[in-house]
Amino acid sequence: YYDRVISMSQKSLSLLAEESGGQYYGAKDVNNLASIYEQIAGELGQIYSIGYEPTNEKRDGVWRTVSVSLKNHPELKVRTRRGYYAR
């Protein structure tokens, strides 16, 4: 039972991170936290924010997919939300 609850919790957190454009970091135990903290600290120095203004001004509640890529640096990974509801 306990293993199933943990697995479901990890899947939920992973999905939440994916849907919000974030990253899920799973620690098997407390000893893994130091390396995860280092990884997060390293990534925090590489975060950029961009703005987006849609050309379609309709507020119709429809899902709109957004794709972001780096034209001059395809080797870099971009993490973003997959889109938004036009409200």
Side-chain angles (χ1 to χ4, degrees):
Y1 170 78
Y2 185 69
D3 290 338
R4 190 173 57 166
V5 170
I6 290 174
S7 177
M8 288 172 46
S9 299
Q10 290 170 335
K11 287 178 185 175
S12 294
L13 290 171
S14 181
L15 180 61
L16 177 63
E18 182 181 327
E19 290 295 320
S20 63
Q23 172 88 17
Y24 171 73
Y25 298 90
K28 299 215 182 277
D29 58 45
V30 176
N31 296 325
N32 296 116
L33 293 178
S35 64
I36 291 174
Y37 293 153
E38 284 181 32
Q39 192 176 355
I40 292 170
E43 289 181 7
L44 285 174
Q46 301 172 11
I47 293 177
Y48 295 88
S49 292
I50 61 172
Y52 172 74
E53 189 170 323
T55 55
N56 183 343
E57 296 179 8
K58 292 180 189 173
R59 306 272 185 200
D60 51 11
V62 173
W63 174 258
R64 304 232 172 94
T65 301
V66 175
S67 176
V68 178
S69 62
L70 300 170
K71 184 176 180 179
N72 296 327
H73 293 281
E75 74 282 4
L76 298 177
K77 182 177 181 180
V78 177
R79 285 195 308 244
T80 64
R81 290 175 35 191
R82 290 187 241 174
Y84 66 98
Y85 289 99
R87 297 185 178 150

